[in-house]
Amino acid sequence: MDHGIYFDGRHYDALWPGLHRHNELVFYKRLVGEYGEPVLELGCGTGQLTLALAEAGVTVIGLDLSAPMLECARQKAAARQVVVEWVQGDCCDFTLDQRFGLVFFPANSLLHLLHWRDLQTCLARVKAHLKPGGAFAFEIFNPSLSLC
């Protein structure tokens, strides 16, 4: 199955080298400090944020629909000797055997859910996986009307 730019993690990383991710990483580390571990990243892709959090000592699971993106993430984790659990799954239909202090969905990925039912089921899955008092964080692009 071809997922456009998500078909091959090497191409994704070449398009989005992660240089813009520093502020996101600082933000998510702060949330981990506030809400605790473990952490679940939805739409983890090639693991740019997942790996950075794991390297900082955070227990994190990365979930993504794309097998090629996850394979790239696994290769990067092995090369960096970082332990991360990678799960292939749909953010609208996943069941994991644990609850999380923080679930996050970065990089406008939530906007891939084009139908309200998909958004509703994704949010229900997130809620089912949060610890009491846990948090769900996401990033979405707020378009400037001047760009239209």
Side-chain angles (χ1 to χ4, degrees):
M1 175 185 342
D2 183 353
H3 293 106
I5 66 168
Y6 307 112
F7 180 70
D8 185 333
R10 294 169 303 158
H11 295 130
Y12 179 85
D13 282 348
L15 286 170
W16 304 103
L19 300 176
H20 64 290
R21 292 264 157 121
H22 174 74
N23 291 335
E24 291 173 89
L25 183 58
V26 169
F27 173 71
Y28 291 120
K29 282 182 178 179
R30 183 176 60 77
L31 290 180
V32 171
E34 188 172 341
Y35 295 101
E37 300 176 45
V39 173
L40 173 63
E41 180 183 356
L42 300 177
C44 67
T46 64
Q48 292 179 0
L49 287 169
T50 320
L51 289 168
L53 287 171
E55 287 174 326
V58 175
T59 301
V60 60
I61 292 176
L63 182 140
D64 201 277
L65 184 61
S66 172
M69 295 286 275
L70 287 173
E71 182 55 33
C72 185
R74 284 184 186 97
Q75 290 173 9
K76 291 188 329 186
R80 291 156 72 168
Q81 298 181 2
V82 177
V83 176
V84 174
E85 182 179 345
W86 305 103
V87 176
Q88 184 177 1
D90 186 332
C91 66
C92 298
D93 184 24
F94 66 95
T95 301
L96 303 174
D97 292 332
Q98 60 183 305
R99 291 185 173 233
F100 300 88
L102 174 65
V103 177
F104 73 100
F105 208 170
N108 292 317
S109 298
L110 189 66
L111 296 180
H112 285 290
L113 305 179
L114 302 178
H115 300 93
W116 68 268
R117 286 195 177 139
D118 291 338
L119 179 59
Q120 186 177 41
T121 58
C122 175
L123 295 175
R125 298 313 314 143
V126 168
K127 182 179 178 183
H129 285 82
L130 282 174
K131 290 180 178 180
F136 175 51
F138 58 90
E139 300 168 50
I140 56 173
F141 178 68
N142 186 9
S144 169
L145 293 179
S146 66
L147 295 176
C148 297

